[in-house]
Amino acid sequence: IKLLDSTDYCQMRGRAGRVGLDSMGESILMTNNPSEWKKATCLLTSEIRAEPIASSMTDVPTMAKLMLEAVVGEWANSPKDLKLYLTSTLAFAICEGAEDAAACIATAQRALEFLCCTPAKGRGFLAWDANSQIYCATDLGCAAFNAGNLSCQQ
């Protein structure tokens, strides 16, 4: 059995209470092994320093999965809606300044270009409908998303 570290305990403690209903929550740390009491006491009394949060959506392959998810899931399919979807992610939230935000948006645009490109079989994961100005998932895109197996090798 792995003992909790301060990061895990901080994560668990942060979930105490009910969002929107409680202004406070309770955290109870239990152990049945007397040799673990000292470590448990340290977790309860020490200042908890969580590791910095980072996003994994900093490259085209990972961003392509996010964009495909948005279109296949029918959460967003227009450039405007996809940008709004992107700006609600952790990747965008942790951007430090306009330059980082522009780089995040550029990565998303490259991801969309990759998804719409035509592979050797003549099909892409997404199709751009110029008349309605929206992205549509192709059968290949739906299959790749549902299988969780989007290969974005460039």
Side-chain angles (χ1 to χ4, degrees):
I1 296 175
K2 177 186 171 245
L3 293 177
L4 288 175
D5 61 25
S6 62
T7 303
D8 290 337
Y9 182 62
C10 181
Q11 171 70 12
M12 291 170 61
R13 190 176 71 176
R15 295 182 183 278
R18 298 171 293 174
V19 175
L21 298 175
D22 297 323
S23 61
M24 295 178 56
E26 293 181 355
S27 169
I28 300 170
L29 184 62
M30 298 172 59
T31 179
N32 61 359
N33 186 339
S35 66
E36 296 172 358
W37 272 104
K38 186 174 182 177
K39 286 191 175 211
T41 302
C42 286
L43 279 177
L44 292 171
T45 58
S46 66
E47 183 178 318
I48 296 177
R49 293 176 296 230
E51 296 296 318
I53 296 174
S55 173
S56 63
M57 285 184 277
T58 57
D59 58 22
V60 172
T62 309
M63 188 67 76
K65 290 180 181 183
L66 177 73
M67 294 291 105
L68 184 64
E69 174 185 75
V71 175
V72 173
E74 298 180 353
W75 301 310
N77 58 9
S78 71
K80 179 182 175 185
D81 289 344
L82 285 165
K83 184 175 181 181
L84 179 62
Y85 183 71
L86 175 65
T87 59
S88 68
T89 65
L90 175 64
F92 198 84
I94 62 175
C95 288
E96 295 180 5
E99 190 174 308
D100 279 358
C104 187
I105 292 169
T107 301
Q109 289 169 332
R110 287 193 306 278
L112 287 166
E113 290 167 8
F114 166 79
L115 290 168
C116 288
C117 74
T118 306
K121 299 280 185 191
R123 302 182 64 197
F125 297 98
L126 298 179
W128 172 250
D129 184 335
N131 292 328
S132 58
Q133 298 287 296
I134 62 169
Y135 292 96
C136 303
T138 65
D139 290 342
L140 179 63
C142 290
F145 174 75
N146 289 323
N149 192 19
L150 175 63
S151 177
C152 296
Q153 301 302 319
Q154 294 183 340

